[in-house]
């Protein structure tokens, strides 16, 4: 085994643990399928949005969602790289 393979495997394990932690720290969304279908139309464009909806990316939930997406992408890329090196 090459040293790069060992380092990438360790980084993959750390990314996996952090991704699991971030997902578990997020708030539970109870709406489910029926709630998403019922709340689909909130008036259309920017005129129908509330202050909270416009600034949702700046909240803790928005940051956690963005971090989850970044970590998931990192995990998938690292998995592919480690798989090709194996």
């Amino acid at each position: 085994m090459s040293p790069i393979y060992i380092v990438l495997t360790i980084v993959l394990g750390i990314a996996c643990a952090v991704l699991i932690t971030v997902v578990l720290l997020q708030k539970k969304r109870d709406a489910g399928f029926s709630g998403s279908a019922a709340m689909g139309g909130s008036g259309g464009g920017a005129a129908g949005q509330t202050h909270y909806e416009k600034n949702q990316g700046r909240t803790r939930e928005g940051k956690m969602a963005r971090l989850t997406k970044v970590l998931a992408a990192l995990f998938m890329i690292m998995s592919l790289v480690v798989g090709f090196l194996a």
Side-chain angles (χ1 to χ4, degrees):
M1 279 197 250
S2 67
I4 190 79
Y5 177 77
I6 294 170
V7 169
L8 288 176
T9 305
I10 291 171
V11 171
L12 179 65
I14 292 170
C16 179
V18 172
L19 179 63
I20 290 170
T21 304
V22 169
V23 168
L24 290 175
L25 286 174
Q26 290 182 7
K27 281 189 174 181
K28 184 178 175 184
R29 296 182 184 171
D30 293 320
F33 180 71
S34 62
S36 64
M39 295 187 301
S42 64
Q49 291 181 341
T50 64
H51 177 71
Y52 178 73
E53 290 171 343
K54 290 180 185 176
N55 297 314
Q56 193 171 6
R58 297 180 182 167
T59 62
R60 180 180 176 268
E61 292 87 14
K63 291 178 183 177
M64 294 291 276
R66 190 176 322 123
L67 182 61
T68 302
K69 292 174 188 174
V70 169
L71 286 172
L74 177 69
F75 178 76
M76 287 189 294
I77 292 169
M78 294 292 296
S79 296
L80 289 173
V81 170
V82 170
F84 284 127
L85 290 177

